Amino acid sequence: NAGVTQTPKFRVLKTGQSMTLLCAQDMNHEYMYWYRQDPGMGLRLIHYSVGEGTTAKGEVPDGYNVSRLKKQNFLLGLESAAPSQTSVYFCASSPPGYNEQFFGPGTRLTVL
Amino acid sequence: SQQGEEDPQALSIQEGENATMNCSYKTSINNLQWYRQNSGRGLVHLILIRSNEREKHSGRLRVTLDTSKKSSSLLITASRAADTASYFCATEVSGGSYIPTFGRGTSLIVHP
């Protein structure tokens, strides 16, 4: 099992450009999450999904959109990137209910 | 805002010593989890303790939970250089949506 994978691993964007980050999991988990991690801030939840076709906002959703068209994939989109979105992005998945999360390796995004 | 806050922010010890880090939270929880993050990697789940439990062990890890004080501690015994990492607590609020909230983490350095 590959677990949780993220594509790409690194990306540099110019302000105003758009991009999509892909998260895939092969554990048949219902729940999937997108976090951003900034120095000194820990992990902050951007959006999450509790099942195929559903999404919900987290703590810091502005400037991001998500889609969960297939159970195994969770996409994070930036429509018009801003320097404030420079961060490391982590995807995670978990079974429903109170359970541990499984994290991907992260995507390091720089917006110039 | 973070539900859980780790203390201290940074900890530096010698190999063989014990490392203790604490997590305080604000509202009633269903469970509390501890995660480890090695530099440049995703988070890895260490241990989950439910609100009706007071102590759990896993190898060299010991976690305690005091719901009256709204706090938890993670003890790593006989630390090794490989334990060097950041450690995060994550809490799931009672009556919430099963979505954990992460603290800012404790950075542990174990000197060989």
Side-chain angles (χ1 to χ4, degrees):
Chain A
N1 287 351
V4 179
T5 58
Q6 293 183 231
T7 309
K9 289 185 171 53
F10 303 93
R11 186 72 186 268
V12 178
L13 290 179
K14 294 182 179 178
T15 297
Q17 287 185 319
S18 63
M19 78 163 294
T20 300
L21 282 67
L22 171 64
C23 176
Q25 52 97 3
D26 61 3
M27 295 171 283
N28 202 35
H29 286 164
E30 290 292 331
Y31 288 21
M32 296 187 75
Y33 316 78
W34 276 108
Y35 293 92
R36 60 177 290 172
Q37 185 177 34
D38 303 293
M41 295 298 293
L43 274 81
R44 291 184 292 170
L45 183 65
I46 304 171
H47 286 279
Y48 64 97
S49 168
V50 299
E52 182 178 317
T54 72
T55 63
K57 294 180 180 180
E59 182 185 355
V60 288
D62 293 343
Y64 305 95
N65 56 75
V66 288
S67 65
R68 183 98 181 267
L69 298 180
K70 294 182 179 181
K71 186 177 183 179
Q72 64 267 34
N73 295 338
F74 195 28
L75 278 64
L76 178 70
L78 286 72
E79 290 186 348
S80 180
S84 61
Q85 294 177 305
T86 293
S87 187
V88 181
Y89 292 86
F90 288 99
C91 176
S93 71
S94 73
Y98 300 120
N99 283 294
E100 67 175 279
Q101 291 185 327
F102 294 79
F103 280 81
T107 295
R108 186 173 295 275
L109 174 66
T110 301
V111 183
L112 303 175
Chain B
S1 62
Q2 261 81 6
Q3 152 77 331
E5 292 291 346
E6 294 89 345
D7 173 70
Q9 289 186 335
L11 183 59
S12 180
I13 60 174
Q14 296 294 321
E15 207 166 31
E17 294 180 339
N18 295 342
T20 300
M21 51 206 88
N22 305 294
C23 173
S24 59
Y25 56 92
K26 299 172 185 173
T27 59
S28 296
I29 60 172
N30 280 307
N31 69 47
L32 186 146
Q33 302 178 52
W34 285 92
Y35 288 80
R36 183 188 73 229
Q37 183 181 34
N38 291 93
S39 181
R41 310 289 287 273
L43 278 72
V44 174
H45 183 263
L46 295 176
I47 200 163
L48 181 154
I49 186 166
R50 303 196 185 278
S51 60
N52 61 353
E53 298 174 312
R54 292 296 167 259
E55 186 171 313
K56 284 189 84 169
H57 296 256
S58 178
R60 293 183 296 112
L61 306 180
R62 172 177 169 251
V63 169
T64 61
L65 179 64
D66 187 334
T67 53
S68 66
K69 294 182 179 178
K70 293 187 171 58
S71 68
S72 173
S73 67
L74 170 66
L75 169 67
I76 304 174
T77 60
S79 62
R80 305 166 182 168
D83 295 326
T84 293
S86 291
Y87 293 82
F88 295 87
C89 70
T91 54
E92 293 187 15
V93 176
S94 298
S97 56
Y98 309 112
I99 307 299
T101 303
F102 287 82
R104 291 186 171 89
T106 292
S107 175
L108 173 66
I109 297 176
V110 181
H111 299 280

